Amino acid sequence: QVQLVESGGGLVQAGGSLRLSCAASGSFFRFSVMGWYRQGPGKQRELVARFLIGGNLEYADSVKGRFTISRDTTKNSIYLQMNSLKPEDTGVYYCNAYSIPRDYWGQGTQVTVSS
């Protein structure tokens, strides 16, 4: 089974930065899609950023210009550099990857941004 492990979450003040990492392990052929989602308090899980097939990028409007997703294909890892953090960015951040025939999710890492 594929496992995704996130790291890098924590507590920061508004305007601060964090860098999240996600490493994939286990038996899989390749990931077609890999990205980050988050779920804030009392909110639905939403897309933050992801790589699509062909290397195209997709960002949520709320994080454009502040967050940057990157990847290291040799390590089957992705990263999320988060700058200018806002309290509304608070939530559990999940790594997501798709490898035929299904999606895989990490356990999540907590990001808390104080005002």
Side-chain angles (χ1 to χ4, degrees):
Q1 180 70 281
V2 174
Q3 291 185 322
L4 304 176
V5 180
E6 304 99 333
S7 62
L11 173 63
V12 298
Q13 293 182 338
S17 299
L18 284 173
R19 186 171 188 261
L20 306 183
S21 299
C22 171
S25 63
S27 298
F28 61 92
F29 181 63
R30 69 179 65 183
F31 290 123
S32 298
V33 181
M34 201 167 183
W36 293 94
Y37 289 72
R38 70 185 180 188
Q39 186 167 17
K43 298 181 179 180
Q44 296 181 334
R45 187 175 299 185
E46 64 177 350
L47 171 70
V48 177
R50 64 179 175 177
F51 287 97
L52 301 175
I53 296 175
N56 293 318
L57 299 175
E58 182 178 1
Y59 289 94
D61 288 340
S62 61
V63 307
K64 288 181 179 178
R66 299 188 298 118
F67 292 10
T68 303
I69 188 172
S70 60
R71 63 183 174 183
D72 184 341
T73 56
T74 64
K75 297 181 179 180
N76 294 312
S77 299
I78 61 169
Y79 310 90
L80 186 68
Q81 179 65 46
M82 305 185 294
N83 298 326
S84 302
L85 283 162
K86 304 175 181 179
E88 61 202 59
D89 294 318
T90 293
V92 179
Y93 284 67
Y94 297 91
C95 183
N96 168 261
Y98 179 78
S99 180
I100 297 171
R102 64 178 62 90
D103 278 297
Y104 296 91
W105 295 90
Q107 293 184 342
T109 185
Q110 177 69 43
V111 172
T112 302
V113 184
S114 64
S115 60

